[in-house]
Amino acid sequence: MPEVKVAHLSKRFGDNAVLRDISFTIADGEFFTLLGPSGCGKSTTLACIAGLEQPTSGSIAVGAATFVDAGTFVPPEGRNLGMVFQSYALWPHMTVAQNLAMPLKIRKVDRREQDTLITEALGKVGLAELRDRYPHQLSGGQQQRVALARALVYSPGVLLLDEPLSNLDAKLRDQARAWLKRLQTELGITTVYVTHDQEEALALSDRIAVMSKGDMVQIGAPEEIYERPATAEVAAFVGRCNFLTGTATGPREVRLDCTGQAVAVPGTAVTAGTRVTVAIRPERLEILPPGRTAPADVNVLTAQVLTSSYVGARHEYDLRLGDHVSEAETSRPGLAGEVTLVAEPAAFLLYPTTDALPQDVEALITIAQ
Amino acid sequence: MTTLSPPRRGSAPAHPPPRYRRPLGLTRESWLQYGVLLLLAVLVLAPVVPTLYQSFLDRPLYEAGGVLGAGNYVRLFTEAGFGRVVLNTALFAGLTTVLSLLIAVPMAVIVVRTKLPGGRVFAAAMQWPFFISSLILGFGWITMYGPAGFVSVEVRRVLGFLPWDLYTIPGMALTEAVALAPIVYTFCANALRQSDASLEAAAQVCGAGPLRVLRSVILPLLRPPVVYSSILVISMSVETLSVPLLFGQPVGIDVFSTFLYRNGLQSINPDYGVLGAASAIILVVTITLVALQAKLLKNAQRFVSVRGKATRPRPLDLGWLKWISAAAIAFYVVMGALIPIGGLVFRSFTQVFTPLQSPFKSLTGDNYERIFTYPVYVQSIVNSLLVAAIGAVLVSVLSLAAVMVARRSSFRFGRAVEYLALAPQAMPGIIVGIGLFWALAFAPFGLGSLLQGTLWVLIIGFGLRALPSGFGSISPSIMQIGRELDNAARVSGADWVRTFTRILAALLRPAFAGALILTFVTLLKEYSPAVFLASADTNIIGTTMLELWVQGNTGSVAALASLQIAITATFVGLAGLLLKGRHQKADDNA
């Protein structure tokens, strides 16, 4: 299993740049996810690796083989990759076995070996008994597994998955995700996975690359992406996050716009007077019931409970913080009225002021005074 | 899931993809794609370039020592009186368009959107022009409504005079409008079917009555298809030969096509320069119209309100008006198509066809006998069938290749391939004939003398004309096949060619069969390029009919026309049965 090297990849359609200088290296056997909202360029990046799109510039290499470079372009059929498409793309006029046989026939594998490989691949996905069915006779989950078997049957160098779970219904998706993770670990095949579902990305990946509007924003392990998002945008896209604007008053202190209160933040290089955005995850905002005193060294904020929602394992509270609505998450039910919020300085993430949130969202979380 | 084989690490791939041959450093797909582009370019340009060249040349283009100049154009408008022809054509096309809109637009609204007694029958009846060429319709109209026609004679006997004259521009326009109305109908009916029925429901909820809904909601929706089909009708009536030839020629009314016919074919010493100049001007007109049409269609698609959610339209109830509407539509179908065609078929079995003497008294098989005793007439039927059969296969294959290149490849000139395949829309049949005739004089390697006077020239000319319909019938089907199916094959190791042979060919089989049927029928009806291209041995049904018509042998014309209709109907019926059988078999397999 080779490593995948993508360097300075750019793709333009006319004046419209859909990829700008994308570079990353995927290690042998790694489960690598391209994550981002629709239109961020993740699928285009995958299509470039597959050879279905020709990048405007940049290079792509898998192992010792260079697929794309100045003057070089290996067409998709010459790359020996396996790919599962969002629609599964099973050929409707062929049975499951014939679908799997196609790539083997093209490779002129002899008949007996074909049969062994097909049986083995269908066994991997647990569908050996369905080999003579036509795609339209299978359920969505079965089609997805057949597509995976077809991508694996010829032992490709790298497995490319383009949102393969997005067409399954919610319950099945969770199970399919766990199953996919087990299969990938067992096979140890280098995998590039494209999704817009951040939960899926966090659960499956060894490393995640977050993309936005054609740019690579951050590459890192799931914990790193979640705990230390490189930009406010990543923080907003991966998991939920409260954003508060403010002005730095010292190296470790920010005065919040919404309440006028100063909070301690982790040490940064911002100079006093700079406008900043402070972000905090809902589960890091701890709600103290009235009457309890907060420990020292933490930030204490006063808020009013607006609404509470019970979402199964936990309670989510919408809180009014000055003229701003913030969310907090806790296991404690039945809070109402004025509450005290506690947040460790380390829980705050500090970003230069940007419009991390779209305007309509911004309007929804602002309360007219 | 326990039978996992350990992956191979760091070694060569277990099953490497095949290496495809690259003759002269180009992939097979490049060879194919450039081949299609080149073939289309040669086919489309072959009639056009010699025509343009001839239009500026002071003598026939096969004579040496020609000098370029604009003299032909000057002569065209001075000596040849082309100005009158332009005026006639404009009048004819304009009137045809207005009449066909008047017939078709109300009909589409009534059939699709209201409760109409026999609505389905009417919708099906609007497909009649598919089976009947405009030439045959012209014969039929003359047989019934012409100065000596069956209906005319009877009307004159009752009234003492004939309130109409077919051999005028309005008479020609009415006939042509009857033939072209189904085109307008199809566009409007499709737009009405696709439009969101909830728009009407919304108006009804607001308190609008049926007529108000028609006026305020439905008719404005029809603007794009009306504009588009008007342009289509204009361009078709500008290039049509049949009706002007049969109706206008005897009384000296010339339009574009008959001008070319008369100057190119009927004069003893044809002025090729004038002919070329006229063709060039007509081409400019038709190309402009087709370009306009293409642009409008692009814009029109923005108007179409297609929703994923299927709302079943509730037809409006017009009350007593619906009986009047039904009668009006029945009048169109019966008087416009049924009586002329029925009369023509009847004519083919009689000796004399006039209300003055019961036609049943002179029933005869002579008209058919004459056709089957003269080998040249039999030959023309065989020729028609050969041209249609071979042409249909070739055109469908070329259309399929063009669609694949234009819509399903990353070929740099894919767009050019599409334009070339659709370009013959703008080429009137008679100009294709003249142009190919000149092109043969030009063709290298003695190709000209090899093809001249063979059926192959007809196949090329007719096929070129049928190419846009072939392309148009396959293209939507390919758009319905998800691109990921191709991509999956490519990633699995199939190159472009093999992706087609292994995956798309099987999925496109029904579309290909549809294109075969459509082009076969189109080619069987076609005749105008043959006016210039056919030799004594390569006459087809259409040219033979014209010949017999000029000789005054109307009984045999009627017989040949009936045969052509019968062949078309039989073929379409058989093909339909065959396709249906296949579908059922496929369903059983599934």
Side-chain angles (χ1 to χ4, degrees), chain B residues 381 384-385 388 462 519-527 540-542 564 567-568:
Chain B
I381 298 176
S384 271
L385 286 172
F462 287 21
T519 49
F520 180 89
V521 173
T522 311
L523 290 168
L524 195 66
K525 291 189 304 189
E526 181 65 274
Y527 73 97
I540 49 149
I541 294 179
Q564 187 181 322
I567 293 170
T568 312

Side-chain angles (χ1 to χ4, degrees), chain B residues 92 95 99 141 164-177 243 247:
Chain B
F92 171 63
L95 206 52
L99 287 173
W141 269 64
W164 67 78
D165 183 3
L166 216 51
Y167 289 8
T168 56
I169 288 183
M172 287 157 58
L174 181 65
T175 316
E176 192 66 29
V243 169
F247 294 20

Side-chain angles (χ1 to χ4, degrees), chain B residues 365-486:
Chain B
D366 281 0
N367 296 320
Y368 289 92
E369 209 183 305
R370 184 169 321 115
I371 285 167
F372 287 111
T373 44
Y374 287 98
V376 276
Y377 298 152
V378 177
Q379 188 62 46
S380 73
I381 298 176
V382 174
N383 284 346
S384 271
L385 286 172
L386 277 175
V387 168
I390 299 172
V393 173
L394 294 180
V395 170
S396 301
V397 169
L398 185 57
S399 302
L400 182 61
V403 171
M404 278 297 299
V405 173
R407 300 254 188 246
R408 275 313 232 267
S409 75
S410 50
F411 186 47
R412 202 175 337 155
F413 304 110
R415 193 49 82 77
V417 166
E418 180 174 350
Y419 285 147
L420 283 172
L422 294 176
Q425 264 181 52
M427 294 157 70
I430 196 152
I431 293 185
V432 168
I434 298 174
L436 280 179
F437 178 76
W438 284 332
L440 288 180
F442 251 155
F445 319 121
L447 215 59
S449 51
L450 207 66
L451 288 173
Q452 191 106 54
T454 65
L455 280 183
W456 290 106
V457 192
L458 296 188
I459 292 174
I460 294 171
F462 287 21
L464 190 58
R465 294 259 298 158
L467 192 60
S469 14
F471 188 94
S473 84
I474 295 179
S475 171
S477 314
I478 218 165
M479 306 299 268
Q480 281 174 359
I481 299 174
R483 234 198 146 116
E484 290 198 335
L485 292 180
D486 307 29

Side-chain angles (χ1 to χ4, degrees), chain A residues 290-330:
Chain A
R292 287 262 298 274
T293 45
D297 298 342
V298 296
N299 294 304
V300 178
L301 297 160
T302 309
Q304 283 88 40
V305 174
L306 290 170
T307 59
S308 70
S309 19
Y310 173 58
V311 291
R314 55 191 196 277
H315 293 266
E316 290 174 2
Y317 291 95
D318 261 18
L319 305 165
R320 173 181 177 149
L321 209 57
D323 65 348
H324 224 72
V325 181
S326 292
E327 289 181 323
E329 220 179 85
T330 167

